[in-house]
Amino acid sequence: MAARLTRDRPTWLVYLQLGVFATYLYGLSAALPMLRAELGLSQTIAGLHGTVMAVGGVLTGLALPRLTRRLGTRATVWTGLAGMNAGVLLVVLGHTPQVTLFAYGLAGGMGSISLYTSMSVLGEHHGPAGPSAISEANAVAGAIGLFAPFVV
């Protein structure tokens, strides 16, 4: 018998948190051509923004087990979301490539913390139905995130 997925309040909260992550991811990607034009960046420097996002994700992924043990799962998710949003705000306010590169790295790293921890929360919360919850969460997040490029 297949495990039944129950969409309770914690599940919907994680879905919303992942929607915020997807909005950041798709939004910053869509903003890059405008950022390049506004700051007069070369294609090389503009392309480094994506690289810095990835490096931030790898570095925070390495630190995640220690961070989760220290803060707990709940605080780790919220710390990731807060840091990701701080990075996005720095992108908006940054007027130099140094600031925007740092901001993309911060948003990428902290967003990864939120993403990885949220997936773990769903798996633990739903037990045998965890894979279904994770698949559905990705679909919901993707649907929410698709609107970000249109807004940008």
Side-chain angles (χ1 to χ4, degrees):
M1 185 169 166
R4 182 165 157 71
L5 175 62
T6 303
R7 292 169 201 87
D8 53 7
R9 286 176 55 162
T11 302
W12 285 110
L13 176 61
V14 172
Y15 286 8
L16 179 61
Q17 290 169 333
L18 291 170
V20 171
F21 170 81
T23 300
Y24 127 79
L25 185 64
Y26 297 173
L28 282 187
S29 297
L32 200 50
M34 290 182 286
L35 187 66
R36 180 175 177 242
E38 183 179 323
L39 299 181
L41 303 176
S42 68
Q43 286 185 338
T44 302
I45 299 298
L48 279 177
H49 286 76
T51 302
V52 169
M53 282 173 69
V55 168
V58 168
L59 293 176
T60 56
L62 293 171
L64 187 57
R66 189 173 311 133
L67 184 64
T68 304
R69 277 193 303 273
R70 173 176 259 175
L71 298 178
T73 306
R74 175 183 238 164
T76 301
V77 170
W78 287 108
T79 299
L81 284 169
M84 178 186 70
N85 286 310
V88 171
L89 185 60
L90 276 174
V91 169
V92 171
L93 299 175
H95 296 293
T96 66
Q98 294 85 355
V99 172
T100 59
L101 283 166
F102 172 77
Y104 267 72
L106 178 64
M110 299 304 277
S112 294
I113 285 174
S114 178
L115 172 68
Y116 304 148
T117 308
S118 294
M119 294 297 170
S120 174
V121 165
L122 282 175
E124 290 174 14
H125 182 69
H126 289 286
S132 296
I134 290 170
S135 294
E136 188 173 86
N138 283 309
V140 169
I144 292 170
L146 283 175
F147 291 103
F150 294 112
V151 173
V152 170

